[in-house]
Amino acid sequence: MSTWNDERQHRSAQDGSGDLPETAPPKPKKRRSGKGEEQPLIPAPTPPPDDSRAVRVVYVGCEGESTEPDYLNHLNARFGDGSGYEGQKFRIQPVYKKNGYTPAEAVAAVREKAQEDDAWAMFDRDEHHDIPQALREAAESSTEVCFSHPSFELWLLLHFQEFGGRQSGKNKEILKKLRQAHPAFKKFDTKNDKSVKDDRRAALDQEGLLEEAVSRAKRLVSQCEHGSCKANNAKTNSFSRDNPPKTTPAWAARSGHAHDCETLRRDPSTDVWRLVVSLGIVKDSSRAATNRGHSYSAGAWGV
């Protein structure tokens, strides 16, 4: 007698219609997204930081064609990557020409080149007759002034030693002491060699010398014969060139000298230290918090 199972097995052997082993249900096929279909939200990758905005660009009009541009390029190479005290990246663009500028020409040249960037004019007392004009035009255009009396070489000398005593525009004593201060400067300003390169840069770059130069330059301000000049009153913050014109005495007082201290009587003195502090290279304990950084402060002259 055949059973239902026997018949089922018989059919299975003939036509394959019997039970099959259990298998997993087939996976649904992935649908291709149409162009118009909404895509899942994926967070956008974080863009790389824009380092170009962090670099402060400073134009400096130089009276000289060799010493000052060489020194400024030394600051670029040594500290421009942000290795100074405040970690500020910067790029100094020296503005100069063969045979040099007069002070007023240096102000005009850097004012034209800098546009919206910071502008400084660097010049000496020497025998120039247009310094009052240069100071007036610097104030009108918010161009910072690095004035040295009698010369920029005073700033170099201050890296190695103190210096004082009225020079009356003469540079002879400063050059003599600079040549004696370090072997690298032994032949400075001989055979028309006033460069600041190679071993001279290395000499200036010795540990702690730049900080000493800043301290000594500040002491010269406080020792000014005027009697009311104080280095702690100096301003080193960046300043908008779009601000209203300022009086020449007020603008010149950003150096720390009193408003009524005539610039040509600041002997000896050098304002190069303010540029160094402004760039964040050297720590200056007297620098107020409002003077730090490089944002513009419209309407606040700090004078």
Side-chain angles (χ1 to χ4, degrees):
M1 179 179 217
S2 66
T3 63
W4 180 84
N5 282 334
D6 292 337
E7 293 178 0
R8 187 180 179 196
Q9 291 175 359
H10 180 69
R11 288 197 305 270
S12 175
Q14 287 184 337
D15 60 17
S17 61
D19 286 346
L20 297 175
E22 278 192 354
T23 59
K27 295 181 180 180
K29 292 183 179 180
K30 293 182 179 180
R31 296 177 61 242
R32 294 183 179 178
S33 299
K35 291 184 178 180
E37 294 184 8
E38 184 177 351
Q39 301 297 316
L41 295 177
I42 301 175
T46 303
D50 185 1
D51 288 338
S52 63
R53 294 187 180 182
V55 178
R56 181 184 175 196
V57 180
V58 180
Y59 284 79
V60 181
C62 302
E63 171 201 333
E65 63 174 315
S66 176
T67 311
E68 294 91 331
D70 282 354
Y71 180 77
L72 296 174
N73 285 324
H74 164 58
L75 294 182
N76 276 333
R78 177 65 180 83
F79 301 104
D81 62 353
S83 57
Y85 171 71
E86 291 185 7
Q88 171 66 52
K89 294 182 179 180
F90 62 82
R91 184 175 73 254
I92 304 173
Q93 297 283 86
V95 179
Y96 61 100
K97 70 172 185 176
K98 187 176 181 180
N99 298 325
Y101 288 119
T102 68
E105 288 174 343
V107 171
V110 75
R111 184 170 55 190
E112 178 182 356
K113 292 286 186 181
Q115 300 298 319
E116 300 303 319
D117 292 308
D118 289 359
W120 293 66
M122 185 176 287
F123 53 86
D124 300 343
R125 175 63 184 96
D126 291 338
E127 302 291 333
H128 297 301
H129 300 288
D130 65 343
I131 291 178
Q133 175 189 350
L135 295 172
R136 182 178 65 254
E137 294 179 354
E140 292 172 352
S141 62
S142 300
T143 299
E144 294 279 9
V145 173
C146 273
F147 175 69
S148 295
H149 195 323
S151 67
F152 177 82
E153 285 76 22
L154 170 61
W155 169 249
L156 301 180
L157 177 61
L158 293 179
H159 286 68
F160 306 107
Q161 65 179 68
E162 300 276 3
F163 186 83
R166 179 174 288 275
Q167 301 300 301
S168 301
K170 305 298 182 182
N171 200 32
K172 182 177 179 180
E173 187 66 17
I174 289 176
L175 289 176
K176 175 184 175 181
K177 290 186 177 297
L178 180 59
R179 293 175 188 136
Q180 296 171 345
H182 195 280
F185 287 89
K186 185 177 181 179
K187 296 184 178 180
F188 184 84
D189 200 20
T190 62
K191 297 182 179 179
N192 202 31
D193 178 15
K194 298 184 69 173
S195 65
V196 181
K197 297 180 179 179
D198 303 326
D199 57 340
R200 291 175 184 170
R201 289 189 180 185
L204 296 172
D205 205 28
Q206 294 178 76
E207 185 71 24
L209 292 192
L210 187 55
E211 289 80 1
E212 286 293 334
V214 169
S215 296
R216 289 165 180 157
K218 291 177 64 177
R219 280 196 285 274
L220 287 179
V221 177
S222 300
Q223 294 167 4
C224 179
E225 291 181 358
H226 180 278
S228 299
C229 304
K230 297 180 181 180
N232 287 353
N233 291 337
K235 304 298 184 294
T236 57
N237 58 303
S238 291
F239 202 89
S240 173
R241 300 178 70 193
D242 295 329
N243 283 333
K246 296 148 287 296
T247 65
T248 301
W251 188 243
R254 285 176 62 82
S255 62
H257 288 272
H259 285 218
D260 59 345
C261 179
E262 297 180 23
T263 302
L264 296 181
R265 296 181 63 85
R266 301 170 185 178
D267 180 14
S269 68
T270 177
D271 298 331
V272 181
W273 72 272
R274 281 202 314 122
L275 174 61
V276 171
V277 172
S278 175
L279 292 170
I281 297 174
V282 171
K283 179 181 179 180
D284 181 15
S285 58
S286 68
R287 191 177 181 192
T290 54
N291 274 345
R292 292 198 172 206
H294 310 292
S295 59
Y296 292 119
S297 177
W301 300 342
V303 295

